[in-house]
Amino acid sequence: MAKTSEITKPYFSHDESASQDGKILKMFRDFRKLSKEMTREELSTR
């Protein structure tokens, strides 16, 4: 469930080691690869 801070928009808590997770790293690589092929308008709707 999303938490709401008085200062920021809603956020989701996550493990501090999430940046080391193989699945997360693959997701980032796949998105970067895809984003190179997409227009700015397409990216803003995702």
Side-chain angles (χ1 to χ4, degrees):
M1 178 186 298
K3 298 178 182 179
T4 304
S5 168
E6 294 177 13
I7 300 171
T8 62
K9 295 180 180 180
Y11 66 95
F12 295 89
S13 61
H14 62 282
D15 297 336
E16 58 184 63
S17 63
S19 64
Q20 304 287 323
D21 187 317
K23 291 178 183 179
I24 300 294
L25 295 173
K26 182 181 180 323
M27 179 185 66
F28 284 141
R29 283 192 304 270
D30 291 347
F31 180 76
R32 281 191 205 124
K33 187 176 180 181
L34 246 175
S35 66
K36 290 179 182 179
E37 301 167 0
M38 298 173 73
T39 65
R40 186 178 286 287
E41 291 79 26
E42 290 174 316
L43 286 171
S44 66
T45 60
R46 291 199 173 225

